[in-house]
Amino acid sequence: MTMIADPSVKYRPFPQVDLPDRQWPGQTITRAPRWLSTDMRDGNQALIDPMNAEKKQRFFDLLVKVGLKEIEVGFPSAGATEFDFISGLVRNDKIPDDVFVQVLTQARQDLIEKTFESLRGAKQAIVHVYNAVSPAWRRIVFGMDRPEIKQIAVTAAKLLRDEAAKQPNTDWHFEYSPETFSTAELDFSLECCEAVMDILQPTPEKPLILNLPATVEAATPNIYADQIEWMCRNISRRDSVVISLHPHNDRGTGVAAAELGVMAGADRVEGCLFGNGERTGNCDLVTVALNLYTQGVHPGLDFSDIDEVVQTVEYCNQLPVHPRHPYAGELVFTAFSGSHQDAIKKGFAAQEARNDQIWDVPYLPIDPKDLGRDYEAVIRVNSQSGKGGVAWVLQQDKGLKLPKRMQADFSRVVQEVADSTSRELNAADIWDAFEEHYRLKPGQPIRLITYERSGSIGGADRSFIGRLEIEGEEHAVSGRGKGLISGILSALREESGIELEVVDYNEHAIGSGTDVQAAAYVECKTPDGRIFFGVGVDEDVATASVQAVISAANGLKARAA
């Protein structure tokens, strides 16, 4: 079977919500919502191999560490593994005083009773009950009409109330989900929610959580936002309910649906770290939270060590976090493209020169250091890279700040290596090519042994006196000029016939304090117009400049050979 020519004969467009005066498009999120992690329930039931008790505990500890205060820890009526883990959290006092654990149950008496039993002795907890309300489920799954479906919700609410009364020492909170809300009639979802509220009688001090899930994402996120705004406007006792969102990601817009839903008035977002969950997954809490962070709103969650979060989630879920996953992927702060690298490099330089802390670096919406990443991997080099990327790697790895024309010269060398190897080049590869091209490795035709500087002698400048090894033989040399560099050029010309003129010179410090070194760069020209670059690094800036000239001279001799 192939894709049909006219999909409209098989699939229907989702209807719009009649909300002509919608307000959410003009709203801005100025504070973080409440968060619920459902990694250990919704996420766990989507795994090929569900978590065992050790992984569940490790995941729970991670969620607490990053700052989750509401954690759906499981479905205790699903089996002994779930029940034992949840009751063990309570029994072993593993739940911090400021954390609410939440458990899920279907709207059935035996399952609700078992759910409350799993939490016996808890200081505080949220019990979450749900029943599907949309037409397809009513017609296909249950064979029930609207009054019968509403009665399921009413009966479940009464059971929540009565079971909670049997354990008065626990601070009970309740959540109700009209499951499949996003594909149900809004008036019927409202009717079910109102019926549950009539039983549980929430107050502003102890509100009922009304979860309005996109159980299956079937429309664009603006329609979900319309649905949320409609419910927020029409629900009675709005001050006594918490509107919670549970977007799935079937259309790939779960994050957008959550953000627009919060703009539409929701108070709470449910999801999983990195978006694990059935089918294409749940809303990605990390992405939503860090999206807020980049807008200047602290999410109340701490992802200062994003790599630890990734490693723990990958271990517990046995699923990889994609290298291009927003904020957390291995490659999301990495540029290979030459134009991107150039912009990032300039952005970092401008950032250092700014007088304020506002982050403004091209291609990087967030400072990687805020998430515990360093800058070493921001720019990586392959055949797509440009001179800026190569220069950045050398600066980060060796502290070298190549002049622009030297960057262009060396980038051609790196490009040839990348093309010939057909792979990414790491810092060691680039440094090896640098040493080779600028003749910094042992065994070069000309090597500095020692030198000294001198003033005028007999009325003539005599600025360089030293010993060089030339083609394996040691030579005493001297050169006259206006300074040290012209002196070494004169000595090379007189001793080995090398004709070079320095047309550009740059130097800078590497490091600071007692470990500081100097780097010197020369751009030299031969009488016939050929250009050779040289580089020298030494604790003494004068010695570094001499080494740079010798580097260029060795390049000339290598070309001549």
Short mmCIF file of all heavy atoms in Angstrom, two decimals, residues 334-346 362-363 379 384 389:
data_model
loop_
_atom_site.label_atom_id
_atom_site.label_comp_id
_atom_site.label_asym_id
_atom_site.label_seq_id
_atom_site.Cartn_x
_atom_site.Cartn_y
_atom_site.Cartn_z
N THR A 334 27.60 22.76 18.52
CA THR A 334 28.75 22.55 17.66
C THR A 334 28.48 23.05 16.25
O THR A 334 27.44 22.75 15.67
CB THR A 334 29.10 21.04 17.60
OG1 THR A 334 29.41 20.58 18.91
CG2 THR A 334 30.30 20.80 16.70
N ALA A 335 29.42 23.82 15.71
CA ALA A 335 29.31 24.30 14.34
C ALA A 335 30.43 23.69 13.50
O ALA A 335 31.59 23.72 13.89
CB ALA A 335 29.41 25.82 14.30
N PHE A 336 30.07 23.15 12.35
CA PHE A 336 31.03 22.66 11.38
C PHE A 336 31.17 23.62 10.19
O PHE A 336 32.20 23.68 9.54
CB PHE A 336 30.62 21.28 10.85
CG PHE A 336 30.73 20.18 11.88
CD1 PHE A 336 29.61 19.70 12.53
CD2 PHE A 336 31.95 19.62 12.20
CE1 PHE A 336 29.69 18.69 13.46
CE2 PHE A 336 32.06 18.60 13.14
CZ PHE A 336 30.93 18.12 13.77
N SER A 337 30.07 24.33 9.89
CA SER A 337 30.05 25.23 8.74
C SER A 337 30.97 26.43 8.96
O SER A 337 30.99 27.04 10.03
CB SER A 337 28.61 25.73 8.52
OG SER A 337 28.60 26.89 7.72
N GLY A 338 31.72 26.77 7.92
CA GLY A 338 32.67 27.87 8.03
C GLY A 338 32.02 29.18 8.38
O GLY A 338 32.51 29.93 9.24
N SER A 339 30.90 29.53 7.73
CA SER A 339 30.25 30.81 8.02
C SER A 339 29.69 30.85 9.43
O SER A 339 29.74 31.88 10.11
CB SER A 339 29.14 31.08 7.00
OG SER A 339 28.15 30.07 7.06
N HIS A 340 29.16 29.71 9.90
CA HIS A 340 28.67 29.65 11.28
C HIS A 340 29.83 29.83 12.26
O HIS A 340 29.72 30.55 13.26
CB HIS A 340 27.99 28.31 11.54
CG HIS A 340 26.68 28.16 10.83
ND1 HIS A 340 25.66 27.36 11.30
CD2 HIS A 340 26.21 28.69 9.68
CE1 HIS A 340 24.63 27.42 10.48
NE2 HIS A 340 24.94 28.22 9.48
N GLN A 341 30.93 29.14 11.98
CA GLN A 341 32.09 29.23 12.87
C GLN A 341 32.61 30.66 12.97
O GLN A 341 32.96 31.15 14.05
CB GLN A 341 33.18 28.29 12.37
CG GLN A 341 32.82 26.82 12.48
CD GLN A 341 33.84 25.92 11.82
OE1 GLN A 341 34.65 26.36 11.01
NE2 GLN A 341 33.82 24.64 12.16
N ASP A 342 32.66 31.33 11.83
CA ASP A 342 33.15 32.70 11.82
C ASP A 342 32.26 33.60 12.67
O ASP A 342 32.75 34.43 13.45
CB ASP A 342 33.22 33.21 10.38
CG ASP A 342 33.78 34.62 10.30
OD1 ASP A 342 34.95 34.81 10.67
OD2 ASP A 342 33.05 35.52 9.87
N ALA A 343 30.94 33.43 12.52
CA ALA A 343 30.01 34.26 13.29
C ALA A 343 30.12 33.97 14.78
O ALA A 343 30.08 34.90 15.61
CB ALA A 343 28.58 34.02 12.80
N ILE A 344 30.25 32.70 15.15
CA ILE A 344 30.36 32.34 16.57
C ILE A 344 31.65 32.90 17.15
O ILE A 344 31.67 33.46 18.26
CB ILE A 344 30.29 30.81 16.74
CG1 ILE A 344 28.88 30.31 16.40
CG2 ILE A 344 30.69 30.41 18.15
CD1 ILE A 344 28.78 28.81 16.32
N LYS A 345 32.75 32.74 16.43
CA LYS A 345 34.04 33.24 16.91
C LYS A 345 33.98 34.74 17.14
O LYS A 345 34.43 35.25 18.18
CB LYS A 345 35.12 32.90 15.88
CG LYS A 345 36.53 33.33 16.26
CD LYS A 345 37.52 32.78 15.25
CE LYS A 345 38.94 33.24 15.58
NZ LYS A 345 39.13 34.68 15.30
N LYS A 346 33.39 35.48 16.19
CA LYS A 346 33.25 36.92 16.36
C LYS A 346 32.31 37.25 17.51
O LYS A 346 32.50 38.23 18.24
CB LYS A 346 32.77 37.55 15.06
CG LYS A 346 33.82 37.53 13.95
CD LYS A 346 33.26 38.04 12.64
CE LYS A 346 34.32 38.02 11.54
NZ LYS A 346 33.76 38.41 10.22
N PRO A 362 25.92 34.85 17.97
CA PRO A 362 25.22 34.24 16.84
C PRO A 362 25.23 32.70 16.91
O PRO A 362 26.23 32.10 17.30
CB PRO A 362 26.01 34.73 15.63
CG PRO A 362 26.63 36.02 16.07
CD PRO A 362 26.94 35.82 17.52
N TYR A 363 24.11 32.12 16.56
CA TYR A 363 23.91 30.67 16.48
C TYR A 363 23.87 29.96 17.83
O TYR A 363 23.68 28.74 17.87
CB TYR A 363 24.98 30.01 15.59
CG TYR A 363 24.89 30.40 14.14
CD1 TYR A 363 25.89 31.16 13.55
CD2 TYR A 363 23.81 30.02 13.34
CE1 TYR A 363 25.81 31.53 12.21
CE2 TYR A 363 23.72 30.38 12.02
CZ TYR A 363 24.73 31.14 11.46
OH TYR A 363 24.64 31.50 10.14
N ILE A 379 33.04 24.65 18.27
CA ILE A 379 33.46 24.63 16.86
C ILE A 379 34.31 23.40 16.62
O ILE A 379 35.30 23.17 17.32
CB ILE A 379 34.24 25.91 16.52
CG1 ILE A 379 33.30 27.13 16.54
CG2 ILE A 379 34.92 25.80 15.17
CD1 ILE A 379 33.99 28.45 16.32
N GLN A 384 33.73 20.99 5.76
CA GLN A 384 32.81 22.12 5.59
C GLN A 384 33.28 23.36 6.34
O GLN A 384 32.66 24.42 6.22
CB GLN A 384 31.41 21.73 6.10
CG GLN A 384 30.82 20.51 5.43
CD GLN A 384 30.63 20.71 3.95
OE1 GLN A 384 30.01 21.69 3.52
NE2 GLN A 384 31.16 19.81 3.15
N GLY A 389 36.78 28.62 12.05
CA GLY A 389 36.67 27.41 12.86
C GLY A 389 38.01 26.84 13.23
O GLY A 389 38.26 26.42 14.36
#
